[in-house]
Amino acid sequence: MQGYILNIFRVRDEDLIVNVLTPNRLRTLYRFYGARHSTIQTGYKIDFEIDSSNASKLPLLRGVSHLGFKWLYNVEKAYLWQNYIKLFYNHLKGVEELGRFYFDLLEDNAKRWEKQNPKRIIIESYTKLLDAEGRLHKDFKCFVCEKEIREEAVLVRGFLPSHKGCVPGKIFTKWRVEELFFNHSSIFLNDDEVNLLYEIVCEGF
Ligand SMILES: [Zn+2]
């Protein structure tokens, strides 16, 4: 089975509780300490087996091999990936059964991470996620006064739009953000705007 490690929690001695995102589930698995085990880290894609023979305890994570990405050797790309994975975990934790959407999104992201700007991948993916969850406000109705936003929009956490007079925050040109919302493309956004949108994503999914 394959999956992405979304979180690692150290328990007694050197044992670990590991949350792994597989195509349809977020699994919580137990890993006994073993000096000969390969080290694992949050964000790794792994191939693994699950031992559920003791039904009263957490299933065990066994036979782990790391399916590495070249870009993990790039400190900045690796850092942005880990930060993105943390946001993912905080959003999904507590849920067990998931559609394929989240796993497939990470598969797509991991492939693009090498060649593209990770911050662009993150903001594009975040709008896909909001869209898939029915939380993307494509109608550009101000969440404060409920009137339409025409030229410039302030975006806050969750990419909720408002008028610049209704809420203080980062201001964006509406049509450029529309391209992001409707086509999940950051092509019309400059690097400063991408950085600002990335900061909003970092406030939490
Ligand atoms: Zn308003």
Side-chain angles (χ1 to χ4, degrees):
M1 189 179 296
Q2 294 190 349
Y4 288 86
I5 298 176
L6 295 197
N7 190 56
I8 298 174
F9 182 73
R10 202 167 290 281
V11 284
R12 65 196 172 102
D13 302 325
E14 297 282 319
D15 293 357
L16 306 172
I17 290 175
V18 186
N19 296 103
V20 185
L21 178 67
T22 60
N24 294 302
R25 292 183 67 180
L26 179 59
R27 294 173 183 272
T28 303
L29 306 169
Y30 198 92
R31 192 182 205 219
F32 285 114
Y33 172 71
R36 290 167 58 220
H37 282 167
S38 53
T39 47
I40 53 171
Q41 279 188 29
T42 301
Y44 276 13
K45 185 181 182 186
I46 55 169
D47 191 90
F48 64 101
E49 290 155 25
I50 295 175
D51 176 353
S52 313
S53 51
N54 189 339
S56 67
K57 293 193 173 144
L58 278 180
L60 301 177
L61 177 60
R62 288 251 166 93
V64 175
S65 55
H66 178 205
L67 307 169
F69 304 114
K70 266 194 297 186
W71 46 258
L72 280 173
Y73 294 102
N74 177 320
V75 175
E76 199 195 343
K77 282 188 190 273
Y79 168 78
L80 287 168
W81 181 255
Q82 286 219 332
N83 199 37
Y84 179 54
I85 293 292
K86 269 184 212 153
L87 291 163
F88 236 82
Y89 175 68
N90 285 333
H91 181 59
L92 297 181
K93 71 181 169 192
V95 185
E96 270 185 42
E97 303 281 336
L98 296 161
R100 276 200 73 100
F101 173 80
Y102 302 95
F103 181 83
D104 289 345
L105 189 61
L106 287 188
E107 290 276 87
D108 170 72
N109 296 160
K111 282 190 201 112
R112 294 163 61 199
W113 216 259
E114 173 76 22
K115 294 214 170 111
Q116 295 178 25
N117 175 344
K119 288 185 182 174
R120 287 188 183 268
I121 301 175
I122 290 169
I123 63 169
E124 290 170 1
S125 301
Y126 182 53
T127 56
K128 280 184 200 163
L129 181 144
L130 289 173
D131 217 0
E133 294 179 351
R135 297 194 286 132
L136 187 61
H137 291 254
K138 293 193 228 177
D139 58 358
F140 281 85
K141 285 234 164 67
C142 172
F143 75 92
V144 178
C145 72
E146 296 181 349
K147 294 194 181 108
E148 196 195 333
I149 299 162
R150 292 180 188 277
E151 305 278 320
E152 290 183 309
V154 163
L155 295 181
V156 298
R157 184 173 174 173
F159 285 176
L160 267 179
S162 78
H163 294 107
K164 57 181 177 178
C166 289
V167 165
K170 290 148 188 162
I171 300 166
F172 300 89
T173 307
K174 181 185 166 187
W175 72 265
R176 288 141 75 111
V177 175
E178 272 181 322
E179 182 66 19
L180 179 67
F181 279 23
F182 283 89
N183 297 321
H184 310 305
S185 163
S186 66
I187 195 159
F188 294 117
L189 299 166
N190 63 39
D191 285 346
D192 287 342
E193 290 167 322
V194 168
N195 285 335
L196 290 174
L197 289 164
Y198 173 71
E199 282 171 25
I200 296 172
V201 177
C202 288
E203 291 173 26
F205 280 11

mmCIF file of all heavy atoms in Angstrom, residues 138-175:
data_model
loop_
_atom_site.group_PDB
_atom_site.id
_atom_site.type_symbol
_atom_site.label_atom_id
_atom_site.label_comp_id
_atom_site.label_asym_id
_atom_site.label_seq_id
_atom_site.Cartn_x
_atom_site.Cartn_y
_atom_site.Cartn_z
ATOM 1 N N LYS A 138 -17.031 31.793 -5.275
ATOM 2 C CA LYS A 138 -16.838 32.268 -6.641
ATOM 3 C C LYS A 138 -17.817 33.367 -7.019
ATOM 4 O O LYS A 138 -17.647 34.018 -8.037
ATOM 5 C CB LYS A 138 -17.013 31.111 -7.626
ATOM 6 C CG LYS A 138 -15.937 30.047 -7.516
ATOM 7 C CD LYS A 138 -16.038 29.142 -8.734
ATOM 8 C CE LYS A 138 -16.014 27.718 -8.330
ATOM 9 N NZ LYS A 138 -16.184 26.808 -9.457
ATOM 10 N N ASP A 139 -18.840 33.544 -6.223
ATOM 11 C CA ASP A 139 -19.816 34.590 -6.555
ATOM 12 C C ASP A 139 -19.305 35.986 -6.181
ATOM 13 O O ASP A 139 -19.900 36.983 -6.553
ATOM 14 C CB ASP A 139 -21.156 34.311 -5.861
ATOM 15 C CG ASP A 139 -21.019 34.224 -4.352
ATOM 16 O OD1 ASP A 139 -19.878 34.343 -3.829
ATOM 17 O OD2 ASP A 139 -22.046 34.031 -3.673
ATOM 18 N N PHE A 140 -18.199 36.033 -5.428
ATOM 19 C CA PHE A 140 -17.626 37.320 -5.008
ATOM 20 C C PHE A 140 -18.676 38.223 -4.362
ATOM 21 O O PHE A 140 -18.765 39.399 -4.641
ATOM 22 C CB PHE A 140 -16.894 38.016 -6.165
ATOM 23 C CG PHE A 140 -15.525 37.441 -6.397
ATOM 24 C CD1 PHE A 140 -15.362 36.316 -7.198
ATOM 25 C CD2 PHE A 140 -14.408 37.982 -5.784
ATOM 26 C CE1 PHE A 140 -14.114 35.746 -7.391
ATOM 27 C CE2 PHE A 140 -13.159 37.420 -5.968
ATOM 28 C CZ PHE A 140 -13.014 36.316 -6.770
ATOM 29 N N LYS A 141 -19.453 37.630 -3.490
ATOM 30 C CA LYS A 141 -20.336 38.422 -2.623
ATOM 31 C C LYS A 141 -19.572 38.669 -1.330
ATOM 32 O O LYS A 141 -19.004 37.757 -0.748
ATOM 33 C CB LYS A 141 -21.620 37.632 -2.326
ATOM 34 C CG LYS A 141 -22.583 37.583 -3.496
ATOM 35 C CD LYS A 141 -23.967 38.083 -3.073
ATOM 36 C CE LYS A 141 -24.832 38.403 -4.278
ATOM 37 N NZ LYS A 141 -25.173 37.198 -5.060
ATOM 38 N N CYS A 142 -19.544 39.912 -0.915
ATOM 39 C CA CYS A 142 -18.826 40.285 0.312
ATOM 40 C C CYS A 142 -19.423 39.527 1.502
ATOM 41 O O CYS A 142 -20.643 39.523 1.688
ATOM 42 C CB CYS A 142 -18.954 41.786 0.522
ATOM 43 S SG CYS A 142 -18.321 42.371 2.087
ATOM 44 N N PHE A 143 -18.567 38.890 2.294
ATOM 45 C CA PHE A 143 -19.110 38.093 3.396
ATOM 46 C C PHE A 143 -19.605 38.977 4.551
ATOM 47 O O PHE A 143 -20.247 38.489 5.473
ATOM 48 C CB PHE A 143 -18.095 37.042 3.868
ATOM 49 C CG PHE A 143 -16.957 37.583 4.695
ATOM 50 C CD1 PHE A 143 -17.037 37.626 6.084
ATOM 51 C CD2 PHE A 143 -15.786 38.018 4.089
ATOM 52 C CE1 PHE A 143 -15.991 38.110 6.842
ATOM 53 C CE2 PHE A 143 -14.731 38.506 4.840
ATOM 54 C CZ PHE A 143 -14.835 38.560 6.224
ATOM 55 N N VAL A 144 -19.311 40.272 4.480
ATOM 56 C CA VAL A 144 -19.781 41.181 5.533
ATOM 57 C C VAL A 144 -21.125 41.804 5.142
ATOM 58 O O VAL A 144 -22.119 41.643 5.845
ATOM 59 C CB VAL A 144 -18.747 42.302 5.811
ATOM 60 C CG1 VAL A 144 -19.276 43.266 6.874
ATOM 61 C CG2 VAL A 144 -17.419 41.700 6.248
ATOM 62 N N CYS A 145 -21.162 42.500 3.985
ATOM 63 C CA CYS A 145 -22.377 43.237 3.622
ATOM 64 C C CYS A 145 -23.225 42.491 2.582
ATOM 65 O O CYS A 145 -24.319 42.932 2.239
ATOM 66 C CB CYS A 145 -22.023 44.634 3.115
ATOM 67 S SG CYS A 145 -21.249 44.627 1.485
ATOM 68 N N GLU A 146 -22.693 41.372 2.066
ATOM 69 C CA GLU A 146 -23.412 40.503 1.124
ATOM 70 C C GLU A 146 -23.685 41.158 -0.237
ATOM 71 O O GLU A 146 -24.471 40.642 -1.028
ATOM 72 C CB GLU A 146 -24.711 39.970 1.748
ATOM 73 C CG GLU A 146 -24.410 39.072 2.943
ATOM 74 C CD GLU A 146 -25.658 38.496 3.588
ATOM 75 O OE1 GLU A 146 -26.768 38.945 3.255
ATOM 76 O OE2 GLU A 146 -25.496 37.592 4.420
ATOM 77 N N LYS A 147 -23.054 42.295 -0.494
ATOM 78 C CA LYS A 147 -23.195 42.915 -1.824
ATOM 79 C C LYS A 147 -22.046 42.462 -2.725
ATOM 80 O O LYS A 147 -20.985 42.040 -2.241
ATOM 81 C CB LYS A 147 -23.193 44.439 -1.693
ATOM 82 C CG LYS A 147 -24.413 44.975 -0.953
ATOM 83 C CD LYS A 147 -24.553 46.486 -1.149
ATOM 84 C CE LYS A 147 -25.755 47.008 -0.378
ATOM 85 N NZ LYS A 147 -25.365 47.791 0.808
ATOM 86 N N GLU A 148 -22.258 42.590 -4.034
ATOM 87 C CA GLU A 148 -21.259 42.126 -4.988
ATOM 88 C C GLU A 148 -19.965 42.944 -4.917
ATOM 89 O O GLU A 148 -20.002 44.157 -4.708
ATOM 90 C CB GLU A 148 -21.836 42.202 -6.405
ATOM 91 C CG GLU A 148 -21.045 41.386 -7.405
ATOM 92 C CD GLU A 148 -21.383 41.744 -8.855
ATOM 93 O OE1 GLU A 148 -22.509 42.199 -9.122
ATOM 94 O OE2 GLU A 148 -20.491 41.568 -9.700
ATOM 95 N N ILE A 149 -18.837 42.279 -5.112
ATOM 96 C CA ILE A 149 -17.549 42.959 -5.171
ATOM 97 C C ILE A 149 -17.212 43.167 -6.646
ATOM 98 O O ILE A 149 -17.279 42.225 -7.433
ATOM 99 C CB ILE A 149 -16.459 42.101 -4.494
ATOM 100 C CG1 ILE A 149 -16.809 41.873 -3.019
ATOM 101 C CG2 ILE A 149 -15.088 42.742 -4.649
ATOM 102 C CD1 ILE A 149 -16.062 40.733 -2.382
ATOM 103 N N ARG A 150 -16.848 44.406 -7.010
ATOM 104 C CA ARG A 150 -16.645 44.674 -8.439
ATOM 105 C C ARG A 150 -15.186 44.730 -8.867
ATOM 106 O O ARG A 150 -14.768 43.984 -9.736
ATOM 107 C CB ARG A 150 -17.361 45.971 -8.832
ATOM 108 C CG ARG A 150 -18.881 45.819 -8.764
ATOM 109 C CD ARG A 150 -19.594 47.100 -9.152
ATOM 110 N NE ARG A 150 -21.029 46.973 -8.884
ATOM 111 C CZ ARG A 150 -21.877 46.390 -9.711
ATOM 112 N NH1 ARG A 150 -21.472 45.893 -10.847
ATOM 113 N NH2 ARG A 150 -23.159 46.295 -9.397
ATOM 114 N N GLU A 151 -14.409 45.618 -8.284
ATOM 115 C CA GLU A 151 -13.048 45.831 -8.798
ATOM 116 C C GLU A 151 -11.969 45.159 -7.953
ATOM 117 O O GLU A 151 -11.142 44.429 -8.466
ATOM 118 C CB GLU A 151 -12.752 47.340 -8.856
ATOM 119 C CG GLU A 151 -13.764 48.151 -9.650
ATOM 120 C CD GLU A 151 -13.494 48.092 -11.130
ATOM 121 O OE1 GLU A 151 -12.313 48.135 -11.506
ATOM 122 O OE2 GLU A 151 -14.464 47.979 -11.905
ATOM 123 N N GLU A 152 -11.998 45.484 -6.672
ATOM 124 C CA GLU A 152 -10.956 44.992 -5.786
ATOM 125 C C GLU A 152 -11.580 44.222 -4.632
ATOM 126 O O GLU A 152 -12.594 44.628 -4.073
ATOM 127 C CB GLU A 152 -10.128 46.161 -5.235
ATOM 128 C CG GLU A 152 -9.258 46.816 -6.299
ATOM 129 C CD GLU A 152 -8.404 47.922 -5.719
ATOM 130 O OE1 GLU A 152 -8.953 48.795 -5.023
ATOM 131 O OE2 GLU A 152 -7.177 47.909 -5.965
ATOM 132 N N ALA A 153 -10.926 43.135 -4.284
ATOM 133 C CA ALA A 153 -11.443 42.290 -3.210
ATOM 134 C C ALA A 153 -10.377 42.125 -2.131
ATOM 135 O O ALA A 153 -9.200 41.950 -2.428
ATOM 136 C CB ALA A 153 -11.837 40.925 -3.755
ATOM 137 N N VAL A 154 -10.821 42.183 -0.885
ATOM 138 C CA VAL A 154 -9.951 41.777 0.219
ATOM 139 C C VAL A 154 -10.220 40.294 0.449
ATOM 140 O O VAL A 154 -11.372 39.861 0.445
ATOM 141 C CB VAL A 154 -10.281 42.591 1.502
ATOM 142 C CG1 VAL A 154 -9.692 41.921 2.732
ATOM 143 C CG2 VAL A 154 -9.748 44.008 1.374
ATOM 144 N N LEU A 155 -9.149 39.517 0.593
ATOM 145 C CA LEU A 155 -9.325 38.097 0.905
ATOM 146 C C LEU A 155 -8.784 37.838 2.301
ATOM 147 O O LEU A 155 -7.714 38.317 2.669
ATOM 148 C CB LEU A 155 -8.584 37.214 -0.100
ATOM 149 C CG LEU A 155 -9.058 37.248 -1.554
ATOM 150 C CD1 LEU A 155 -8.223 36.290 -2.397
ATOM 151 C CD2 LEU A 155 -10.538 36.880 -1.679
ATOM 152 N N VAL A 156 -9.543 37.078 3.079
ATOM 153 C CA VAL A 156 -9.080 36.694 4.413
ATOM 154 C C VAL A 156 -8.994 35.169 4.465
ATOM 155 O O VAL A 156 -9.111 34.494 3.430
ATOM 156 C CB VAL A 156 -10.013 37.241 5.522
ATOM 157 C CG1 VAL A 156 -10.035 38.758 5.509
ATOM 158 C CG2 VAL A 156 -11.421 36.690 5.376
ATOM 159 N N ARG A 157 -8.791 34.622 5.659
ATOM 160 C CA ARG A 157 -8.644 33.178 5.823
ATOM 161 C C ARG A 157 -9.764 32.427 5.111
ATOM 162 O O ARG A 157 -10.924 32.841 5.165
ATOM 163 C CB ARG A 157 -8.653 32.839 7.317
ATOM 164 C CG ARG A 157 -8.402 31.384 7.562
ATOM 165 C CD ARG A 157 -8.238 31.090 9.029
ATOM 166 N NE ARG A 157 -8.137 29.642 9.198
ATOM 167 C CZ ARG A 157 -7.857 29.042 10.316
ATOM 168 N NH1 ARG A 157 -7.641 29.744 11.406
ATOM 169 N NH2 ARG A 157 -7.779 27.730 10.376
ATOM 170 N N GLY A 158 -9.413 31.340 4.442
ATOM 171 C CA GLY A 158 -10.381 30.576 3.683
ATOM 172 C C GLY A 158 -10.697 31.230 2.342
ATOM 173 O O GLY A 158 -11.627 30.834 1.661
ATOM 174 N N PHE A 159 -9.887 32.246 1.977
ATOM 175 C CA PHE A 159 -10.094 33.027 0.747
ATOM 176 C C PHE A 159 -11.505 33.612 0.679
ATOM 177 O O PHE A 159 -12.101 33.760 -0.380
ATOM 178 C CB PHE A 159 -9.808 32.185 -0.513
ATOM 179 C CG PHE A 159 -8.340 31.962 -0.782
ATOM 180 C CD1 PHE A 159 -7.930 31.140 -1.838
ATOM 181 C CD2 PHE A 159 -7.361 32.568 -0.013
ATOM 182 C CE1 PHE A 159 -6.568 30.927 -2.106
ATOM 183 C CE2 PHE A 159 -6.002 32.361 -0.272
ATOM 184 C CZ PHE A 159 -5.615 31.540 -1.315
ATOM 185 N N LEU A 160 -12.025 33.942 1.862
ATOM 186 C CA LEU A 160 -13.328 34.615 1.915
ATOM 187 C C LEU A 160 -13.170 36.028 1.379
ATOM 188 O O LEU A 160 -12.308 36.774 1.843
ATOM 189 C CB LEU A 160 -13.805 34.690 3.369
ATOM 190 C CG LEU A 160 -14.700 33.591 3.905
ATOM 191 C CD1 LEU A 160 -15.017 33.873 5.365
ATOM 192 C CD2 LEU A 160 -15.978 33.460 3.096
ATOM 193 N N PRO A 161 -13.992 36.429 0.402
ATOM 194 C CA PRO A 161 -13.849 37.773 -0.164
ATOM 195 C C PRO A 161 -14.711 38.815 0.549
ATOM 196 O O PRO A 161 -15.802 38.509 1.042
ATOM 197 C CB PRO A 161 -14.333 37.577 -1.611
ATOM 198 C CG PRO A 161 -15.274 36.419 -1.561
ATOM 199 C CD PRO A 161 -14.986 35.612 -0.332
ATOM 200 N N SER A 162 -14.196 40.054 0.561
ATOM 201 C CA SER A 162 -15.003 41.163 1.068
ATOM 202 C C SER A 162 -14.577 42.441 0.354
ATOM 203 O O SER A 162 -13.570 42.459 -0.352
ATOM 204 C CB SER A 162 -14.843 41.311 2.584
ATOM 205 O OG SER A 162 -13.625 41.952 2.857
ATOM 206 N N HIS A 163 -15.335 43.497 0.566
ATOM 207 C CA HIS A 163 -14.930 44.813 0.062
ATOM 208 C C HIS A 163 -13.774 45.319 0.904
ATOM 209 O O HIS A 163 -13.680 45.014 2.081
ATOM 210 C CB HIS A 163 -16.082 45.822 0.182
ATOM 211 C CG HIS A 163 -17.249 45.504 -0.681
ATOM 212 N ND1 HIS A 163 -18.423 45.012 -0.173
ATOM 213 C CD2 HIS A 163 -17.423 45.606 -2.023
ATOM 214 C CE1 HIS A 163 -19.287 44.842 -1.162
ATOM 215 N NE2 HIS A 163 -18.702 45.176 -2.300
ATOM 216 N N LYS A 164 -12.960 46.210 0.283
ATOM 217 C CA LYS A 164 -11.835 46.725 1.071
ATOM 218 C C LYS A 164 -12.310 47.668 2.164
ATOM 219 O O LYS A 164 -11.634 47.863 3.150
ATOM 220 C CB LYS A 164 -10.772 47.366 0.177
ATOM 221 C CG LYS A 164 -11.245 48.474 -0.709
ATOM 222 C CD LYS A 164 -10.089 48.983 -1.560
ATOM 223 C CE LYS A 164 -10.583 50.063 -2.511
ATOM 224 N NZ LYS A 164 -9.517 50.630 -3.317
ATOM 225 N N GLY A 165 -13.514 48.229 1.999
ATOM 226 C CA GLY A 165 -14.046 49.082 3.062
ATOM 227 C C GLY A 165 -14.713 48.295 4.181
ATOM 228 O O GLY A 165 -14.982 48.827 5.249
ATOM 229 N N CYS A 166 -14.999 47.023 3.938
ATOM 230 C CA CYS A 166 -15.748 46.230 4.929
ATOM 231 C C CYS A 166 -14.839 45.506 5.910
ATOM 232 O O CYS A 166 -15.211 45.284 7.065
ATOM 233 C CB CYS A 166 -16.656 45.223 4.220
ATOM 234 S SG CYS A 166 -18.063 45.996 3.393
ATOM 235 N N VAL A 167 -13.652 45.119 5.460
ATOM 236 C CA VAL A 167 -12.731 44.372 6.315
ATOM 237 C C VAL A 167 -11.306 44.814 5.971
ATOM 238 O O VAL A 167 -10.991 44.992 4.788
ATOM 239 C CB VAL A 167 -12.869 42.837 6.045
ATOM 240 C CG1 VAL A 167 -11.694 42.071 6.626
ATOM 241 C CG2 VAL A 167 -14.158 42.289 6.618
ATOM 242 N N PRO A 168 -10.444 45.043 6.973
ATOM 243 C CA PRO A 168 -9.047 45.329 6.644
ATOM 244 C C PRO A 168 -8.361 44.040 6.202
ATOM 245 O O PRO A 168 -8.693 42.967 6.699
ATOM 246 C CB PRO A 168 -8.465 45.826 7.973
ATOM 247 C CG PRO A 168 -9.339 45.231 9.029
ATOM 248 C CD PRO A 168 -10.694 45.003 8.424
ATOM 249 N N GLY A 169 -7.461 44.145 5.249
ATOM 250 C CA GLY A 169 -6.754 42.933 4.818
ATOM 251 C C GLY A 169 -6.052 43.162 3.507
ATOM 252 O O GLY A 169 -5.956 44.290 3.016
ATOM 253 N N LYS A 170 -5.557 42.079 2.942
ATOM 254 C CA LYS A 170 -4.799 42.179 1.702
ATOM 255 C C LYS A 170 -5.751 42.360 0.514
ATOM 256 O O LYS A 170 -6.723 41.622 0.380
ATOM 257 C CB LYS A 170 -3.955 40.921 1.523
ATOM 258 C CG LYS A 170 -2.818 40.883 2.533
ATOM 259 C CD LYS A 170 -2.434 39.492 2.962
ATOM 260 C CE LYS A 170 -1.443 39.564 4.115
ATOM 261 N NZ LYS A 170 -1.337 38.293 4.850
ATOM 262 N N ILE A 171 -5.404 43.348 -0.344
ATOM 263 C CA ILE A 171 -6.311 43.716 -1.445
ATOM 264 C C ILE A 171 -5.809 43.122 -2.769
ATOM 265 O O ILE A 171 -4.623 43.202 -3.088
ATOM 266 C CB ILE A 171 -6.383 45.255 -1.565
ATOM 267 C CG1 ILE A 171 -6.903 45.854 -0.243
ATOM 268 C CG2 ILE A 171 -7.280 45.673 -2.734
ATOM 269 C CD1 ILE A 171 -6.691 47.359 -0.130
ATOM 270 N N PHE A 172 -6.730 42.530 -3.508
ATOM 271 C CA PHE A 172 -6.389 41.917 -4.799
ATOM 272 C C PHE A 172 -7.330 42.438 -5.883
ATOM 273 O O PHE A 172 -8.479 42.787 -5.607
ATOM 274 C CB PHE A 172 -6.528 40.394 -4.714
ATOM 275 C CG PHE A 172 -5.631 39.770 -3.689
ATOM 276 C CD1 PHE A 172 -6.059 39.608 -2.374
ATOM 277 C CD2 PHE A 172 -4.351 39.349 -4.025
ATOM 278 C CE1 PHE A 172 -5.227 39.052 -1.418
ATOM 279 C CE2 PHE A 172 -3.511 38.801 -3.082
ATOM 280 C CZ PHE A 172 -3.951 38.638 -1.774
ATOM 281 N N THR A 173 -6.808 42.451 -7.128
ATOM 282 C CA THR A 173 -7.653 42.803 -8.263
ATOM 283 C C THR A 173 -8.570 41.617 -8.558
ATOM 284 O O THR A 173 -8.104 40.494 -8.704
ATOM 285 C CB THR A 173 -6.769 43.094 -9.496
ATOM 286 O OG1 THR A 173 -5.796 44.063 -9.115
ATOM 287 C CG2 THR A 173 -7.594 43.611 -10.652
ATOM 288 N N LYS A 174 -9.845 41.916 -8.650
ATOM 289 C CA LYS A 174 -10.830 40.829 -8.702
ATOM 290 C C LYS A 174 -10.603 39.864 -9.870
ATOM 291 O O LYS A 174 -10.587 38.655 -9.677
ATOM 292 C CB LYS A 174 -12.235 41.413 -8.758
ATOM 293 C CG LYS A 174 -13.328 40.343 -8.784
ATOM 294 C CD LYS A 174 -14.704 40.966 -8.976
ATOM 295 C CE LYS A 174 -15.735 39.923 -9.332
ATOM 296 N NZ LYS A 174 -17.024 40.531 -9.671
ATOM 297 N N TRP A 175 -10.411 40.416 -11.092
ATOM 298 C CA TRP A 175 -10.375 39.492 -12.246
ATOM 299 C C TRP A 175 -9.183 38.544 -12.186
ATOM 300 O O TRP A 175 -9.238 37.414 -12.674
ATOM 301 C CB TRP A 175 -10.426 40.250 -13.574
ATOM 302 C CG TRP A 175 -9.182 41.007 -13.954
ATOM 303 C CD1 TRP A 175 -8.933 42.313 -13.721
ATOM 304 C CD2 TRP A 175 -8.037 40.491 -14.642
ATOM 305 N NE1 TRP A 175 -7.702 42.656 -14.205
ATOM 306 C CE2 TRP A 175 -7.122 41.567 -14.786
ATOM 307 C CE3 TRP A 175 -7.687 39.244 -15.160
ATOM 308 C CZ2 TRP A 175 -5.877 41.409 -15.411
ATOM 309 C CZ3 TRP A 175 -6.451 39.096 -15.786
ATOM 310 C CH2 TRP A 175 -5.560 40.163 -15.903
#
